[in-house]
Structure formats: C-alpha cells, structure tokens
Amino acid sequence: MGAEQVRDGFTELYGTRPDGVWAAPGRVNLIGEHTDYNDGFVMPFALPHTAVAAVSRRTDGVLRLHSADLDAGVAELRLEELTPESDKAWTAYPAGVVWALREAGHPVTGADVHLASTVPSGAGLSSSAAIEVVVALALNDLFDLGLQGWQLARLCQRAENVYVGAPTGIMDQTASACCEAGHALFLDTRDLSQKQIPLDLAAEGLRLLVVDTQVTHAHSGGEYGKRRAGCEKGAALLGVDALRDIAFADLDAALDRLGDDEEIRRLVRHVVTEDQRVEQVVALLESGGDTRAVGPVLTAGHASLRDDFKVSCPELDLVVDTALAHGALGARMTGGGFGGSAIVLAEATDVEALTKAVVEAFTAAGLKAPRVFEAVPSAGARRLG
C-alpha cells in the first residue's frame, strides 16, 4: 500500500489533502518470546509489511478514523469522551494512542486519520502495534511533541495495556518504532537499551520464512493474561522484581524453591531459558560465525513455548515438525501464541521444497493453506511524505 494511494484515499474521504503520510511496520520476533513483560531480552526485526496512515491535525477536539481495510464508514470520536476499555472495535488502537498522549500531557487537539495496512491481522506479527505506532509518529510530528521512538513505544504500550485492555509487553511497539533495515533489534525491556545487530541472511545463502497458519490469535484473550499473571506470581514467590532477575545458572535452585507448583515452575523455566537463548543468538550473530548455528536455538525455543509455556497449537507444531523433517535449520512459533505464525530458518536452496511440504501437510490435515513469505529485516516507522 503506497503513500500516494493512501494520500488519495484520504483526499477522497475527507475532501482535503492530508498534512502528511507515515508508515510503521509489523515485526517478526527472531527469539525472545514472553520475556518482554518479565523485564527480559527480545530480538525482533521489522517486516516490509506496514500500516500506512494519512493524517491531518484538527483543533476542535474531534478524532475521525477510517480504515481502507474494513467495510465501515468514518468513526467520529470526541477526545474528552475517550475512556479506557470503552471501545471493542479496531478504533480502540488509534484512539488509545490519542488518549495516552493526552493523559501524558501532550497537547493533541484532534486529527483526521485514514489507514491502510499490509500487516496480516491475527498472525502474531504485531498488526495492532503497527497501527498504534504509525498514529503516534504522525501526531508526534504534526503537534511538534519532540518524542523519541522509545518514548512513542512506551505510550503505545500504555494505550494497548490500559485503553485496549491487552496486557502486552513493550517489544512490539519498540520494534515498530525503532528497528533498522538489515538489522535485528536486541532490546533489554527493563531499561529499553537497544543494540542493532546486523542480520543479512541472504548474504549467507539463508532465508527466514514466516508461515502464517491463519489461525487467529488475540492478545486480549484470557490465556495470555493468565501466563503473565503466573510469571508475576513466580517472581513474587522467588522474591525478585521480575523473572529477568533469575540467572540461568541459578535456575535449578529457583525451581527447587518453588516446590510442587508445576505450573509456575514451567513458566519460570521458559522465561529464564528463553532469556538465555536470546543471549546465545546475539553472541552467535556478533561473533561473525555461521548463522546456521542459530537454527537449533530457535527449535529449542519452540519446544519450551510448546511444553513449558503451553502457548503453541497443533497448526504451529505442524509447521515446525514438517519444516524440520524436510531440512530446515530451525523453526519455532513466533508471537504470543495460540495461533498466528511460525518462522523457519532454511537454506535458500531448500525454500521451495520446504514451502511445498508445509502446504501439503496442511492440506493432508484438512486445514486451510498457510500463507508463506520471506521475512526481510526492514526499516522502522518513518514519514513517507
């Protein structure tokens, strides 16, 4: 969806040209799942798929929202009436950003917004974060707020946590706001320190595939919140601020202290080992060695998400098992789980055969064919014009 197409859509809809057009990407997480709300480490990179927004500022306290992707008219909201968890439609995401900005004292006085997105919805690729970040960046520019990418990410997270009511961590919004083309983002979610890690898979004859199972997931569902509450309980029982504070070397002793609470033990074990896996991948990529060694780390992450965190599903497991059986270097579910997408690290020469095998496995299981595409580390949020 190009800038001109969205600009023209805005003009047709509202009768005037927009003040500007912005884009913010979805993301795929290479490694580090369900660690962000535990103050841990994550390693996402931005996708070429983006939410694009044409926006103009208003001064009358009115917010008008429209999506080219939905068969619905313009939603008109008054800023003083924006209330957390009052909106269960898609408009909660951009409206929540406006609410969060105003709650933080930023002088946003209204806007007209026209959106279009190529980020697959419900695929675990952060389509909601892309919408939040593109609106936040547009308002930051239009109202001269002077906020940096990480600050916009924080406000977008607050919009999703409080206004939408989904208990997500900070990774998705930070990836959308801060990633750079050709890099993965090593993010410490405790202090928001960032390091851009070069990731040029094509130069090594590799590809990273995203396999969208087309099983829709929803962060606001109860299971995600249960996992987060369980992690918080585990941290409290172990006397730490967050599970990030349990060192990998101390994991066995920590598990012993949890006694026979098997559910909490599993959650703790996943988070601590997943933080370790992120650090492993960073070390492998920074060493300049063979990126193929990342593959087994990804696969170990899937086993942990499936068996300890229990957020996989049969369709995700089918992707991973089929890919590995047909020569993939590594594979795992990515995103919050309960559906969504898996990633597959493979030799470029194996992509065609792997894709065919996964699609045939879904057909044999009586499932809707998955969507498969290459994930290329791309640019974060930016102004297009």
Side-chain angles (χ1 to χ4, degrees):
M1 185 67 65
E4 282 302 320
Q5 189 174 353
V6 177
R7 181 182 287 111
D8 290 346
F10 181 101
T11 302
E12 182 179 348
L13 191 68
Y14 295 118
T16 61
R17 286 179 62 80
D19 292 338
V21 182
W22 292 260
R27 66 95 187 100
V28 67
N29 193 22
L30 184 63
I31 193 73
E33 221 65 77
H34 289 277
T35 50
D36 59 346
Y37 55 80
N38 288 290
D39 282 2
F41 304 123
V42 295
M43 199 175 185
F45 62 83
L47 290 168
H49 307 73
T50 59
V52 179
V55 185
S56 286
R57 58 179 290 165
R58 297 176 66 103
T59 59
D60 59 357
V62 171
L63 175 64
R64 293 197 293 181
L65 302 168
H66 183 264
S67 171
D69 307 315
L70 299 173
D71 185 18
V74 175
E76 184 168 316
L77 308 169
R78 295 208 60 83
L79 301 190
E80 70 267 18
E81 296 174 0
L82 298 180
T83 306
E85 297 194 58
S86 61
D87 185 351
K88 300 303 179 185
W90 75 273
T91 49
Y93 296 96
V97 169
V98 175
W99 171 85
L101 285 166
R102 285 167 56 83
E103 282 286 298
H106 299 294
V108 176
T109 56
D112 287 338
V113 180
H114 174 60
L115 282 155
S117 179
T118 58
V119 186
S121 178
L125 303 175
S126 300
S127 58
S128 59
I131 289 173
E132 292 161 359
V133 170
V134 75
V135 171
L137 181 62
L139 297 176
N140 185 54
D141 288 353
L142 292 177
F143 289 93
D144 296 319
L145 304 182
L147 298 171
Q148 299 180 45
W150 67 269
Q151 293 172 306
L152 294 176
R154 274 288 196 210
L155 286 162
C156 289
Q157 182 200 16
R158 177 166 168 76
E160 189 150 349
N161 289 173
V162 180
Y163 195 89
V164 177
T168 55
I170 189 66
M171 173 180 66
D172 296 350
Q173 293 85 358
T174 305
S176 187
C178 301
C179 277
E180 295 181 3
H183 294 76
L185 179 69
F186 177 37
L187 173 67
D188 182 335
T189 65
R190 170 164 282 172
D191 61 13
L192 297 188
S193 60
Q194 304 176 17
K195 189 172 187 179
Q196 302 287 344
I197 308 294
L199 184 63
D200 187 354
L201 297 171
E204 297 186 56
L206 300 175
R207 298 291 186 273
L208 189 76
L209 302 178
V210 174
V211 182
D212 176 8
T213 65
Q214 303 206 55
V215 176
T216 303
H217 81 148
H219 270 164
S220 53
E223 290 301 316
Y224 185 95
K226 287 179 184 177
R227 301 304 187 282
R228 182 164 185 164
C231 290
E232 292 169 354
K233 179 181 177 182
L237 290 171
L238 292 168
V240 294
D241 290 336
L243 293 182
R244 147 72 175 277
D245 296 312
I246 304 299
F248 180 72
D250 298 331
L251 176 58
D252 288 342
L255 295 178
D256 287 344
R257 288 166 57 197
L258 292 172
D260 60 359
D261 192 335
E262 186 56 33
E263 181 178 357
I264 301 300
R265 285 167 56 90
R266 285 190 289 99
L267 296 178
V268 170
R269 182 164 54 230
H270 167 71
V271 172
V272 176
T273 59
E274 186 77 346
D275 274 334
Q276 172 74 359
R277 283 185 284 273
V278 177
E279 293 184 296
Q280 280 183 272
V281 171
V282 171
L284 286 167
L285 294 178
E286 287 194 317
S287 70
D290 193 342
T291 303
R292 289 163 178 81
V294 168
V297 186
L298 303 184
T299 304
H302 183 77
S304 182
L305 287 159
R306 180 192 65 211
D307 300 336
D308 277 345
F309 225 69
K310 296 190 181 297
V311 292
S312 189
C313 67
E315 294 85 356
L316 289 167
D317 293 341
L318 181 60
V319 174
V320 171
D321 293 344
T322 303
L324 293 174
H326 288 81
L329 299 167
R332 76 171 189 91
M333 58 156 281
T334 187
F338 313 108
S341 300
I343 55 173
V344 178
L345 181 66
E347 302 286 353
T349 52
D350 292 339
V351 165
E352 186 176 349
L354 274 170
T355 301
K356 182 173 183 287
V358 170
V359 171
E360 289 178 347
F362 270 59
T363 300
L367 299 170
K368 182 180 180 180
R371 179 184 181 212
V372 184
F373 59 90
E374 183 182 350
V376 179
S378 301
R382 66 269 187 199
R383 185 167 186 163
L384 300 179

